[in-house]
Amino acid sequence: MVLLGLSQVLSLALASFLLLSYSAVLLGNLSIILTIRAEPRLAASPMYYLLGNLSLVDLCYTSVTTPRMALGLLSGHATIPLGECLGHLFFLHFLGCTKIFLLTAMAYDRYVAICQPLHYTTIMGYRTCAGLVAGSWMGALAHFLVQTLLAATLPYCGPNRIDHYFCDVAPLLGVACTDTSLMEILVVSDTGAISLGCFLVLLVSYGVILATLRRRFAEGRRKALSTCTAHLMVVAIFFGPCIFIYTRPFSTIPADKVVSLLATVVIPVLNPLIYTLRNTEMKGSMRQLWGKQMVSDDSSTAPFSTRGGSGVSAHSEERPPLLSPLPCSLQHSTP
């Protein structure tokens, strides 16, 4: 297979942009994951447990396509074996579908926290959170495994040139040497229905949340809206490209490549920024984590003379202990 989308835009500047974007995705999502694991209050919170899994999916999702695109631009070779192309296709949709289910699970978490706060700790226990995450991964696996197997059985012949940046369903079916109308209907009815259906569920759930917030005090409403706004922004920028590409009959148009590039390269860079810049608790935990790391480095390099009897010990000032993990219902009162 030859990816024509890469050969047509062969540019060192674009390859540099892809590598910088990928580095930003790695840094942002790894920072979120490490902060949640290092901070007991966040690790015990269902909302941040789901956010950590979402960051892991974002990191893997970008790793499927961006490094391969950058390598093709730098090397000038846009060919890809059929097996690797099918592998990219599977992991791209597997991780994308997992992200859709996780975003839906996060909306359910916000619904329970705001609309049923007294029962939140009972409903959103560890088993429920683990079940939502496991269900997201397993549901996505079952969703696209069948489609990948069907695509692998199709005969491919002729020039085998894909007019795209990476292997996706519509461009790949376009080079098959058989009638793929049934396969197209299956993909649109399956992938498109999941994208549009989950998006409508999210809109309804946030409609109920906003109606509930109208009866809250101003301070509580402001904090809840801050958290929900960040989630809604991620939902909007992620579901937009999915609905645009997979809810209409397959027909390659120039806008498809632009939207796909935004979905796989640009949007994953924005997600960590949205979740950290609009979340005071996450920003505070990151500052605390980096502050402790800097203090630890300074202490390890302190001169031995300061540790003598007449000197001031590098560890003489005790830092206040970390707060014990708060109940989930209290943790979720702060965005």
Side-chain angles (χ1 to χ4, degrees):
M1 296 291 179
V2 179
L3 300 174
L4 296 180
L6 295 180
S7 59
Q8 292 173 358
V9 292
L10 188 58
S11 169
L12 181 60
L14 181 56
S16 301
F17 170 73
L18 292 175
L19 293 176
L20 287 175
S21 300
Y22 184 59
S23 300
V25 171
L26 289 178
L27 179 61
N29 287 290
L30 285 176
S31 298
I32 292 176
I33 294 172
L34 294 177
T35 301
I36 292 174
R37 290 183 61 88
E39 182 60 52
R41 291 176 300 169
L42 302 184
S45 168
M47 181 178 72
Y48 291 104
Y49 176 76
L50 295 173
L51 177 58
N53 279 272
L54 183 67
S55 297
L56 176 62
V57 171
D58 262 341
L59 194 154
C60 298
Y61 181 78
T62 310
S63 299
V64 173
T65 56
T66 305
R68 184 65 177 80
M69 285 192 289
L71 180 62
L73 290 170
L74 293 174
S75 64
H77 299 290
T79 59
I80 180 174
L82 178 60
E84 184 179 348
C85 183
L86 291 173
H88 281 194
L89 177 68
F90 168 74
F91 283 107
L92 181 71
H93 284 265
F94 167 56
L95 294 168
C97 189
T98 303
K99 183 173 180 177
I100 288 176
F101 291 152
L102 281 175
L103 287 172
T104 308
M106 292 176 71
Y108 175 70
D109 170 75
R110 294 294 83 211
Y111 166 79
V112 176
I114 294 174
C115 299
Q116 302 183 38
L118 299 179
H119 303 284
Y120 179 75
T121 55
T122 303
I123 297 175
M124 294 300 297
Y126 174 77
R127 289 186 177 180
T128 303
C129 294
L132 289 173
V133 172
S136 299
W137 286 93
M138 297 304 296
L141 178 64
H143 152 67
F144 207 73
L145 182 60
V146 176
Q147 293 187 22
T148 305
L149 293 176
L150 290 176
T153 59
L154 295 176
Y156 299 97
C157 56
N160 288 340
R161 297 179 179 271
I162 298 177
D163 188 17
H164 209 26
Y165 299 110
F166 51 85
C167 293
D168 205 355
V169 181
L172 185 61
L173 294 182
V175 298
C177 303
T178 185
D179 183 17
T180 59
S181 56
L182 183 60
M183 183 71 175
E184 293 179 9
I185 294 175
L186 174 63
V187 173
V188 171
S189 60
D190 187 10
T191 306
I194 289 178
S195 302
L196 186 59
C198 289
F199 181 68
L200 293 177
V201 169
L202 288 168
L203 290 182
V204 172
S205 65
Y206 276 101
V208 176
I209 289 173
L210 292 176
T212 304
L213 288 176
R214 293 180 60 184
R215 301 190 296 268
R216 298 288 181 86
F217 293 108
E219 180 65 18
R221 181 167 60 246
R222 184 190 65 80
K223 292 181 178 180
L225 280 175
S226 178
T227 304
C228 294
T229 301
H231 188 225
L232 277 174
M233 291 174 65
V234 173
V235 167
I237 63 178
F238 177 74
F239 276 89
C242 292
I243 294 174
F244 175 79
I245 295 174
Y246 299 111
T247 57
R248 58 181 174 82
F250 288 170
S251 57
T252 303
I253 58 177
D256 284 346
K257 291 188 287 186
V258 177
V259 173
S260 297
L261 191 65
L262 291 174
T264 56
V265 178
V266 179
I267 292 177
V269 177
L270 301 177
N271 290 348
L273 296 176
I274 293 173
Y275 277 116
T276 54
L277 294 180
R278 296 192 59 85
N279 192 313
T280 56
E281 188 172 10
M282 177 63 72
K283 288 190 293 185
S285 297
M286 285 184 172
R287 293 193 193 101
Q288 185 181 17
L289 180 63
W290 283 107
K292 289 192 297 183
Q293 183 65 36
M294 293 179 65
V295 170
S296 176
D297 293 342
D298 293 341
S299 300
S300 62
T301 57
F304 288 102
S305 60
T306 60
R307 300 182 186 180
S310 60
V312 179
S313 172
H315 299 279
S316 59
E317 296 184 3
E318 295 184 0
R319 297 176 58 84
L322 289 175
L323 296 176
S324 59
L326 299 176
C328 293
S329 58
L330 295 180
Q331 293 181 26
H332 282 260
S333 64
T334 303

